Amino acid sequence: MNSSPMDQSTYQVRFDWGSAGFRRLASADIVVLVDVLEVQADADAAALRALAEESSALVCEGSLRNASAVAEAILQEQVRRDRRTSVSLIAVGDSDDAGPRFALEDSLAAGAIIEALIARGIDHTSPEAMVAAEAFRGLRGALRHLISASGSARALRATSKNSVAVETMIAAARDHDAEQHVRWSIHRAR
């Protein structure tokens, strides 16, 4: 990856969107792919996952449901390495006929993970990461409403025969899977 003013390389915790954001950020020790509601099998999401798994980073998936578990796993990996460990959080987003799009639920979930990292002392965050964390802090009381009223939830309701209300409530349950073991997609070669 090329060094650029947009790569956030001077920060330990970084945040961006989709495949383009993954390519824009400096390489990191850990990549967290943040995807709360999968509206459809998305070519950009698949491309992003492939890019992340081709990198030398440890890769895991994050959401509101496992925000603390992901932050704790990152802290433990940093302790294991015995050095500062860089982390890129990539909001997967979604796409429609117009192309890739912002998904507010992914931004809020990234903010929840970043807030949990900050609480554990991993707090050298890029401005982009801090904005996501502060958005989460300010809106945490409205998560269920925001997620259920989001474009992603509306798209799910329009295409699904199942109850999207249940899915969105489960997606908005912060740290429901707090004890969940975080699965790394890539080996720990470093």
Side-chain angles (χ1 to χ4, degrees), residues 40-134:
Q40 60 187 8
D42 183 313
D44 192 54
L48 173 57
R49 284 180 173 82
L51 278 172
E53 294 201 3
E54 289 170 4
S55 75
S56 61
L58 289 174
V59 180
C60 71
E61 295 200 9
S63 69
L64 287 164
R65 293 175 56 87
N66 69 350
S68 290
V70 168
E72 187 61 30
I74 291 168
L75 176 62
Q76 293 308 313
E77 182 62 20
Q78 179 169 283
V79 167
R80 187 190 75 76
R81 291 173 186 234
D82 195 29
R83 66 174 173 79
R84 180 173 276 199
T85 301
S86 58
V87 181
S88 288
L89 290 101
I90 307 294
V92 173
D94 197 13
S95 65
D96 58 19
D97 294 340
R101 70 170 194 83
F102 173 88
L104 73 87
E105 62 277 4
D106 295 349
S107 181
L108 291 168
I113 296 166
I114 295 162
E115 179 189 58
L117 287 168
I118 291 168
R120 287 163 174 78
I122 300 176
D123 58 0
H124 187 59
T125 61
S126 69
E128 294 82 356
M130 185 54 73
V131 166
E134 290 302 318

